[in-house]
Amino acid sequence: MIAVVAGILLRDGKILLAQRKEAASFALKWEFPGGKIEPGESPEEALERELQEELGIHTHTGRIFDAVRLENAQRDLLLLFYFTALSDGEPRALDCQALRWVAPADLLQYDLAPADRRVAEKLAALPGNLL
């Protein structure tokens, strides 16, 4: 099983989505940014490293929001979705196609990767004061 972390980064009532590159699996789908956990890393350390590498920002990982397991013939993934806070920098699309700040109610208008869609459905259903 491959463990992956993703950040739900909030700012001014909006959530950051990243678009996958054309050459990546799930090409051009939108997702919550993150990546694989490397050996010896905690999920929180992995998320902070991935967001620094992919977006050029420093973050502080908060509480876990959801976990999604995806199994198919090609791979077995466990995706951990954490709320995260920006501590330094402005997100840039360093290792993705594009970035968008999106209102929770509008998340489902994007062509999301499967696990991210499940989480977006839960986020979109939350009352605004719970984000």
Side-chain angles (χ1 to χ4, degrees), residues 86-104:
L86 185 63
S87 58
D88 187 45
E90 180 63 28
R92 295 173 286 141
L94 300 175
D95 194 27
C96 57
Q97 189 75 19
L99 298 172
R100 295 278 189 300
W101 289 100
V102 179

Side-chain angles (χ1 to χ4, degrees), residues 29-71:
K29 298 264 187 201
W30 291 88
E31 66 181 357
F32 301 101
K36 293 179 187 170
I37 300 173
E38 298 293 337
E41 283 183 318
S42 70
E44 296 84 356
E45 290 168 335
L47 182 56
E48 291 169 11
R49 175 188 51 76
E50 285 285 347
L51 295 178
Q52 199 281 319
E53 290 174 1
E54 291 184 8
L55 307 177
I57 58 174
H58 295 279
T59 58
H60 176 74
T61 303
R63 67 181 171 88
I64 192 164
F65 175 70
D66 203 0
V68 177
R69 187 168 180 186
L70 293 178
E71 292 180 88

Side-chain angles (χ1 to χ4, degrees), residues 1-130:
M1 179 184 330
I2 299 170
V4 176
V5 288
I8 301 168
L9 185 61
L10 297 163
R11 181 168 75 185
D12 300 326
K14 295 186 177 181
I15 297 170
L16 186 67
L17 289 181
Q19 187 178 38
R20 296 180 64 82
K21 288 185 173 183
E22 194 168 355
S25 61
F26 298 113
L28 301 177
K29 298 264 187 201
W30 291 88
E31 66 181 357
F32 301 101
K36 293 179 187 170
I37 300 173
E38 298 293 337
E41 283 183 318
S42 70
E44 296 84 356
E45 290 168 335
L47 182 56
E48 291 169 11
R49 175 188 51 76
E50 285 285 347
L51 295 178
Q52 199 281 319
E53 290 174 1
E54 291 184 8
L55 307 177
I57 58 174
H58 295 279
T59 58
H60 176 74
T61 303
R63 67 181 171 88
I64 192 164
F65 175 70
D66 203 0
V68 177
R69 187 168 180 186
L70 293 178
E71 292 180 88
N72 61 40
Q74 291 97 17
R75 62 176 99 181
D76 183 9
L77 294 174
L78 175 64
L79 295 100
L80 305 171
F81 294 84
Y82 286 86
F83 284 110
T84 189
L86 185 63
S87 58
D88 187 45
E90 180 63 28
R92 295 173 286 141
L94 300 175
D95 194 27
C96 57
Q97 189 75 19
L99 298 172
R100 295 278 189 300
W101 289 100
V102 179
D106 297 332
L107 289 170
L108 299 175
Q109 294 177 18
Y110 286 79
D111 184 17
L112 296 162
D116 297 86
R117 176 159 291 282
R118 293 181 195 176
V119 172
E121 289 169 352
K122 292 180 181 181
L123 287 167
L126 286 176
N129 63 344
L130 293 180

